Amino acid sequence: MRILIITVSILILSSLAALAGSQVRYAPLTPELLSSGVKIIDIRTEKEWRETGVVKGALGLTFFREDKSYDAEAFLAKLKRYVTPNDRIAIICRTGNRSDKVSRYLAHHGFTSVTNVDGGVTKAKEAGVRLVPYPQDNASFTAVR
């Protein structure tokens, strides 16, 4: 019985530690954040990429479709082909609303270093981040389909 109690206690503490390490950070996208080596995940739609341009070097992986529907499991499977749960990632959308939901979803699913880009690409442009036109060659922006 004592071993069972110890084992359960260890499992509970491990789960709590994992959750504590999976909190979402909130920061605007600035040139400094870009140069830090964080991997930018642009969850907007292709239509939005075409309208505003994209962050050079970002991974384009749409979460919410134009009709507002989504397939979270398919998104997660595709994302894991490009990043691991321990990679530093920043999730960006137009204003930060959709990326907040996705950031919290990823933190809940074991991603340990997630930043939600406050203000999205709208604020990023104001902060001096230069967007490049979409489509770009795969070296500049990878759009996952």
Side-chain angles (χ1 to χ4, degrees):
M1 180 69 171
R2 185 177 177 136
I3 292 175
L4 178 63
I5 292 172
I6 291 171
T7 303
V8 170
S9 297
I10 290 172
L11 289 173
I12 290 171
L13 289 175
S14 297
S15 296
L16 291 174
L19 287 174
S22 296
Q23 292 187 359
V24 175
R25 293 169 193 80
Y26 294 84
L29 186 63
T30 61
E32 294 78 23
L33 182 61
L34 279 173
S35 66
S36 73
V38 67
K39 295 177 181 181
I40 308 298
I41 314 298
D42 189 331
I43 64 161
R44 298 177 300 149
T45 64
E46 185 172 352
K47 179 181 175 187
E48 291 175 294
W49 300 334
R50 289 184 191 283
E51 289 172 355
T52 63
V54 296
V55 175
K56 185 176 182 178
L59 173 69
L61 181 54
T62 299
F63 189 90
F64 295 99
R65 298 178 195 102
E66 299 230 357
D67 67 1
K68 311 253 187 292
S69 67
Y70 60 91
D71 183 341
E73 289 181 18
F75 173 87
L76 191 57
K78 288 178 185 177
L79 180 65
K80 285 183 176 180
R81 293 191 322 223
Y82 295 90
V83 298
T84 71
N86 293 320
D87 286 337
R88 290 181 49 234
I89 60 174
I91 310 300
I92 191 168
C93 67
R94 185 173 48 87
T95 63
N97 185 34
R98 289 173 290 171
S99 59
D100 181 43
K101 292 172 179 67
V102 173
S103 295
R104 287 185 282 123
Y105 170 79
L106 293 174
H108 180 74
H109 283 83
F111 282 76
T112 58
S113 184
V114 181
T115 298
N116 176 52
V117 176
D118 271 344
V121 295
T122 302
K123 293 283 184 186
K125 289 191 297 187
E126 293 172 9
V129 174
R130 187 174 160 267
L131 301 178
V132 295
Y134 175 84
Q136 289 290 308
D137 60 52
N138 285 340
S140 297
F141 182 80
T142 303
V144 178
R145 302 212 183 335

